[in-house]
Amino acid sequence: MHTKSESDVTSLAPSSPSRSPKRPIYYVQSPSRDSQDGDKSSSMQATPMYNSPMESPSHPSFGPHSRNSSASRFSGVFRSSSGRKSGRKRASNDKGWPECNVIMEEGDYNEDKALPRRVQAFIAVFSFVVLFTLFCLIIWGASRPYKAQVSVKSLVVNNLIIQEGTDDSGVPTKMVTMNSTLKISVYNPATFFGIHVSSAPINLLYSKISVATGQVKKYYQPRKSHRTVSIVLEGDTVPLYGAGASLTVTDPGVVGSNKNGESEVAFTLDLEIHSRAYVVGKLVTTKHRRRASCPVVVDYATYSNKPIKFTKDSCSYS
């Protein structure tokens, strides 16, 4: 078998048809500036096309050094590209949405779910009003049992005159002029508030006709305290009409007796005491009334400046 010499192989090589594979076309892709700044966008910039890496302007030489540098350049590009892809996978959830967007959506959802400030302010004010009202009701209920205690002590008749006269319309009748002093005792049992004491008109009645009247001057009484109050009851020429038929006319300053020889006249003392407590200013107040009715017998012969004393059972209280 004829062996080809080295010169024949050399001569045949250029004449033989080119059956070697075409040279691959290489592209050099470099990351954009946005990716270097931390942006996760996948934009790439294409460079001019070359037949081989060796033809790239950055590799003018064809030595071993140039091959190593080109390999390292492409490996760096591939690593950066794969790094960006893996980074995207870590930042995505199961549905492919970025995790940062999911967090922002959750924040927006919570903000939409929160109540407006006006509604929150209204709820706060309403809660305060309800709690304060409940507190006031508790204080009011606790203060209700503390009623002022009233007792009638004595009545002193300073003057009593029965005489004939006429009323404003000219009708003749007997008339009474009376001056007396009434003493009552008021006790405030409350432990945490004082009371303001006043009264309705206090009347001394003869056969349901008021012959003398007076009233307690309003005053303040501290907690857990006693006080004796004096009230002046006066009546000036009060007509009795038919009720005074049994009374004997007396001269001013002269005591006497009725026509039957009796020296006693029956009266009725009627009074009503009011007490008011401002427990929490004027927001929480308590009011109480105490009524008393006492029969009074005045002796013509001995009434002058002598006190008529009352016991606990002498009067009826309500």
Side-chain angles (χ1 to χ4, degrees):
M1 187 173 179
H2 179 72
T3 59
K4 295 181 180 181
S5 64
E6 184 177 348
S7 60
D8 294 335
V9 173
T10 305
S11 62
L12 291 173
S15 62
S16 61
S18 176
R19 296 180 180 178
S20 61
K22 295 181 179 181
R23 294 180 180 179
I25 299 173
Y26 294 91
Y27 293 90
V28 178
Q29 296 180 348
S30 62
S32 64
R33 291 184 179 180
D34 296 338
S35 63
Q36 294 178 1
D37 294 338
D39 188 11
K40 296 183 179 181
S41 62
S42 60
S43 62
M44 305 295 293
Q45 294 179 353
T47 57
M49 181 176 64
Y50 299 96
N51 292 331
S52 68
M54 301 304 168
E55 295 178 2
S56 172
S58 60
H59 301 280
S61 63
F62 297 94
H65 177 71
S66 62
R67 292 177 182 176
N68 294 335
S69 61
S70 62
S72 63
R73 175 178 177 84
F74 279 92
S75 64
V77 171
F78 295 150
R79 281 197 299 270
S80 63
S81 176
S82 62
R84 285 195 300 273
K85 291 181 180 179
S86 61
R88 286 199 198 108
K89 291 180 180 179
R90 287 196 300 269
S92 301
N93 55 18
D94 296 338
K95 295 183 179 181
W97 297 342
E99 293 182 357
C100 59
N101 292 339
V102 174
I103 294 173
M104 290 175 62
E105 288 178 2
E106 289 180 355
D108 296 338
Y109 176 76
N110 292 333
E111 290 178 359
D112 295 340
K113 191 176 181 180
L115 295 175
R117 289 187 178 181
R118 290 184 178 179
V119 177
Q120 293 178 359
F122 175 77
I123 293 175
V125 172
F126 180 76
S127 301
F128 172 78
V129 171
V130 171
L131 292 176
F132 185 74
T133 302
L134 180 62
F135 169 76
C136 291
L137 287 175
I138 294 173
I139 295 298
W140 178 81
S143 64
R144 288 293 296 170
Y146 296 101
K147 298 180 180 180
Q149 300 177 7
V150 180
S151 60
V152 181
K153 293 298 183 180
S154 63
L155 176 68
V156 176
V157 179
N158 301 316
N159 190 18
L160 177 59
I161 300 173
I162 302 173
Q163 59 186 1
E164 294 286 349
T166 58
D167 61 5
D168 295 337
S169 61
V171 178
T173 182
K174 290 182 181 179
M175 311 188 77
V176 176
T177 299
M178 189 175 186
N179 181 281
S180 60
T181 303
L182 175 68
K183 289 185 178 181
I184 62 174
S185 176
V186 180
Y187 172 62
N188 177 20
T191 57
F192 58 95
F193 59 86
I195 58 175
H196 297 264
V197 181
S198 60
S199 73
I202 301 173
N203 298 312
L204 190 61
L205 307 175
Y206 176 79
S207 187
K208 297 184 180 180
I209 297 176
S210 177
V211 297
T213 186
Q215 195 168 357
V216 175
K217 293 181 180 180
K218 187 175 181 180
Y219 70 92
Y220 174 79
Q221 185 166 338
R223 58 185 181 177
K224 303 289 289 184
S225 61
H226 291 268
R227 182 167 180 175
T228 300
V229 183
S230 297
I231 307 105
V232 176
L233 305 179
E234 294 180 321
D236 187 17
T237 60
V238 179
L240 299 177
Y241 302 107
S246 60
L247 296 178
T248 302
V249 176
T250 61
D251 296 330
V254 178
V255 297
S257 60
N258 57 23
K259 64 180 182 180
N260 296 326
E262 297 176 357
S263 60
E264 294 180 350
V265 180
F267 297 95
T268 301
L269 179 65
D270 190 9
L271 60 89
E272 181 179 306
I273 303 299
H274 301 163
S275 64
R276 173 178 293 186
Y278 298 100
V279 184
V280 183
K282 291 186 178 181
L283 296 176
V284 180
T285 62
T286 57
K287 299 178 182 179
H288 296 288
R289 294 181 180 182
R290 185 69 166 171
R291 294 184 178 89
S293 180
C294 309
V296 181
V297 177
V298 178
D299 192 340
Y300 272 40
T302 60
Y303 78 84
S304 182
N305 297 325
K306 290 184 179 181
I308 301 171
K309 295 184 179 180
F310 300 92
T311 63
K312 186 177 180 180
D313 299 330
S314 299
C315 302
S316 60
Y317 297 93
S318 62

